[in-house]
Amino acid sequence: MNSSSDRSPAVDVPSTMTYEIRTYGCQMNVHDSERLAGLLEDAGYVRAPEGADGDADVVVFNTCAVRENADNRLYGNLGHLAPKKAKRPGMQIAVGGCLAQKDRDTIVKKAPWVDVVFGTHNIGKLPVLLERARIQEEAQVEIAESLEAFPSTLPTRRESAYAAWVSISVGCNNTCTFCIVPALRGKEKDRRPGDILAEVEALVAEGVSEITLLGQNVNAYGSDIGDREAFSKLLRACGAIDGLERVRFTSPHPRDFTDDVIAAMAETPNVMPQLHMPLQSGSDTVLKAMRRSYRQERYLGIIEKVRAAIPHAAITTDIIVGFPGETEEDFEQTLHVVREARFAQAFTFQYSKRPGTPAAEMDGQIPKKTVQERYERLVALQEEISWDENKKQVGRTLELMVAEGEGRKDGATHRLSGRAPDNRLVHFTKPEQEVRPGDVVTVEVTYAAPHHLLAEGPVLDVRRTRAGDAWEKRNTEAAKPKGVLLGLPKIGAPAPQPVAAGGGCGCD
């Protein structure tokens, strides 16, 4: 756990108090939940067992506001907990995140059994607000209008022993018409490069071997500190950290994706040959209505440059289908870009109104039936391309970082799972030698499916790593009678879903 003088004052927590955190939305929320867990454990709380389903002393909802029915989902879950709280004296419920930032006092009015409401800018106050609510026996609502301290100064309970998120900026300066995130997260605020690298070095010293640099618009990093090449310099600096094997980042914006970043990716060995580049639409008309500051030609030009510099790069994307005013011709332009770009995977979203966004009030809202039909055509095309691109991997020898919890059928098939350098998911035959999450194995790909690869032959090599040691140590400690640890973060891109599954808000 990291420590800092910027955290909230110490609180007096009764012994053996348990907590549960429920997270919705993007990677930023996932990382914020790591900080919330760190804050609570730093204050003396203990993680409730998996599957607690509200049977904890404190239940925290870290919410997302970008979906049309996000509030209905929250209030449904809060209603489910109301009778549990009534039967459990002293139980507390807290609501934070983007929906809390947006709705403020509405939450307590609709769900008066909620004890604490806090926003995206003051997550560090959670333990103090819980104690204040307990002492005063009334709800505490505290929403800061601007960032009080950069979140990475807060204690953090990392979800994984071998892979970690590292936030390099918060907020966003874009004004996409479908996105409410800038209004809730605020303007972009960059973290000092030295602070970022110090955190990465500390994580590597603890055994972490893969980091993902995280920002709402990650490659705009430097705009707040006046250095247009700050992001490429940061990638190169990560390349000089001994023991750091893999560097990834998410999510960039085509507007800010410059040649120096491509060069840094190609020339820095531990920066992985993987790029998630949100498209949203292939139509220049729709991109203009979305207020996306690039056009089809610019987007495809970036893809061409990346492929020239990094031939084996796997490129993934986000696409919104059925944006207001989208015509059949506009949609055909999206299909054209998909055919040209040949994405490894795509997070495909059916447009839904985000309350508070300009797009929600636009004319030309597309009928659901039309959106569904276009969505199905897009998914079918992308499935075909994903499968074709994965078939090209058959026969290749790949180094995989062994993953935890990414192969749902691993137990039944006697396989393990891992991520290739380009982030493709590979299931491989379990070797006789012990292999731990965080270790590295070398395999030959024998079969391709649209969303995963198989290596059905014997493992060619096993390399035990400090990351595997860290995982083993952490799980040994977890077996002792104390807090239950969190699970593995979903570093890789899962299969496309009709709603946000890994791309989060779809507005990166």
Side-chain angles (χ1 to χ4, degrees):
M1 247 182 241
N2 302 329
S3 61
S4 170
S5 59
D6 293 329
R7 75 182 66 170
S8 300
V11 297
D12 183 19
V13 176
S15 60
T16 67
M17 293 280 282
T18 59
Y19 75 91
E20 175 189 351
I21 299 175
R22 301 185 186 183
T23 308
Y24 307 98
C26 64
Q27 298 97 330
M28 195 69 73
N29 271 21
V30 173
H31 193 25
D32 281 350
S33 288
E34 290 185 325
R35 297 184 179 113
L36 292 170
L39 284 160
L40 291 171
E41 293 192 11
D42 204 49
Y45 292 86
V46 174
R47 174 80 171 176
E50 290 294 330
D53 192 27
D55 290 326
D57 296 296
V58 172
V59 179
V60 183
F61 290 88
N62 189 8
T63 64
C64 174
V66 300
R67 290 287 159 190
E68 185 176 14
N69 296 316
D71 54 347
N72 292 337
R73 184 180 186 186
L74 171 65
Y75 295 122
N77 287 325
L78 291 175
H80 175 71
L81 287 185
K84 290 190 176 185
K85 186 179 181 188
K87 297 176 181 178
R88 184 168 185 156
M91 179 182 176
Q92 292 184 295
I93 300 172
V95 179
C98 291
L99 192 63
Q101 187 78 23
K102 183 173 77 76
D103 283 359
R104 302 171 185 252
D105 296 330
T106 305
I107 293 172
V108 173
K109 290 178 181 176
K110 289 188 174 182
W113 54 92
V114 169
D115 300 275
V116 171
V117 179
F118 62 101
T120 58
H121 299 308
N122 63 330
I123 63 176
K125 291 291 185 66
L126 176 59
V128 169
L129 294 172
L130 288 168
E131 183 181 38
R132 193 184 300 163
R134 186 162 46 239
I135 292 171
Q136 298 182 7
E137 298 184 344
E138 64 179 12
Q140 302 296 309
V141 179
E142 188 170 309
I143 306 291
E145 295 300 328
S146 60
L147 196 65
E148 295 182 345
F150 201 92
S152 286
T153 62
L154 300 172
T156 304
R157 187 60 167 113
R158 299 283 177 177
E159 292 190 353
S160 169
Y162 57 89
W165 307 103
V166 175
S167 181
I168 70 170
S169 65
V170 293
C172 181
N173 294 336
N174 294 317
T175 56
C176 302
T177 55
F178 54 80
C179 181
I180 199 171
V181 169
L184 304 179
R185 292 276 181 180
K187 292 291 186 181
E188 180 179 327
K189 184 172 179 60
D190 293 335
R191 197 173 167 202
R192 291 177 53 198
D195 292 340
I196 297 168
L197 294 172
E199 181 179 356
V200 174
E201 289 171 348
L203 288 167
V204 172
E206 294 170 4
V208 168
S209 59
E210 175 177 309
I211 60 113
T212 301
L213 302 175
L214 186 63
Q216 214 75 52
N217 180 7
V218 70
N219 62 319
Y221 177 75
S223 62
D224 184 45
I225 57 180
D227 184 354
R228 292 183 60 84
E229 295 190 353
F231 186 61
S232 62
K233 292 175 183 176
L234 183 62
L235 291 177
R236 293 183 186 274
C238 287
I241 297 176
D242 186 39
L244 180 58
E245 297 196 20
R246 296 186 172 192
V247 178
R248 306 187 191 275
F249 58 89
T250 195
S251 285
H253 191 294
R255 182 194 68 185
D256 303 299
F257 206 81
T258 50
D259 290 350
D260 61 297
V261 174
I262 297 173
M265 291 176 66
E267 296 166 10
T268 310
N270 65 355
V271 175
M272 294 294 96
Q274 173 222 350
L275 175 64
H276 183 74
M277 179 69 77
L279 169 65
Q280 309 303 7
S281 174
S283 162
D284 288 354
T285 301
V286 174
L287 288 171
K288 183 177 180 180
M290 289 178 167
R291 215 175 289 158
R292 301 284 286 182
S293 52
Y294 56 89
R295 298 297 178 258
Q296 180 187 121
E297 183 178 6
R298 158 76 172 155
Y299 186 92
L300 288 175
I302 293 172
I303 301 300
E304 184 179 357
K305 287 181 179 180
V306 171
R307 289 252 161 80
I310 315 167
H312 288 299
I315 300 174
T316 57
T317 196
D318 295 333
I319 300 173
I320 297 173
V321 178
F323 187 81
E326 180 188 72
T327 64
E328 178 63 22
E329 291 74 19
D330 292 325
F331 179 65
E332 285 292 341
Q333 287 300 304
T334 295
L335 296 181
H336 169 70
V337 174
V338 170
R339 293 187 188 101
E340 291 293 312
R342 299 196 65 80
F343 300 113
Q345 296 286 347
F347 296 103
T348 49
F349 304 86
Q350 295 187 36
Y351 173 77
S352 62
K353 291 183 179 180
R354 275 76 162 176
T357 63
E361 307 301 323
M362 285 183 177
D363 294 333
Q365 301 288 329
I366 310 298
K368 171 65 176 175
K369 182 179 179 180
T370 302
V371 176
Q372 181 67 31
E373 187 270 337
R374 290 176 184 171
Y375 172 79
E376 291 173 0
R377 285 160 58 196
L378 173 61
V379 168
L381 174 61
Q382 182 56 53
E383 288 276 304
E384 179 184 338
I385 292 172
S386 294
W387 200 356
D388 285 345
E389 291 301 307
N390 275 359
K391 287 175 183 176
K392 296 176 183 178
Q393 305 298 311
V394 174
R396 290 190 65 194
T397 299
L398 301 176
E399 272 199 340
L400 312 179
M401 181 175 290
V402 181
E404 181 181 31
E406 292 211 63
R408 290 176 296 174
K409 299 179 181 178
D410 281 351
T413 58
H414 303 290
R415 292 176 180 145
L416 297 175
S417 299
R419 290 281 172 177
D422 66 8
N423 213 31
R424 282 183 166 92
L425 179 63
V426 184
H427 305 301
F428 62 95
T429 302
K430 186 176 182 179
E432 293 184 7
Q433 182 179 349
E434 181 191 20
V435 178
R436 308 159 302 178
D439 286 339
V440 174
V441 300
T442 303
V443 301
E444 181 179 325
V445 178
T446 58
Y447 175 80
H451 303 298
H452 69 268
L453 303 171
L454 292 181
E456 299 165 299
V459 170
L460 303 178
D461 184 59
V462 175
R463 176 163 61 87
R464 292 172 68 86
T465 64
R466 292 190 310 109
D469 294 341
W471 179 89
E472 185 173 355
K473 178 182 177 183
R474 185 164 179 172
N475 281 266
T476 299
E477 292 175 349
K480 298 175 182 178
K482 58 181 183 180
V484 177
L485 302 177
L486 299 174
L488 171 73
K490 299 300 182 187
I491 299 295
Q497 299 290 332
V499 296
C505 59
C507 58
D508 298 314

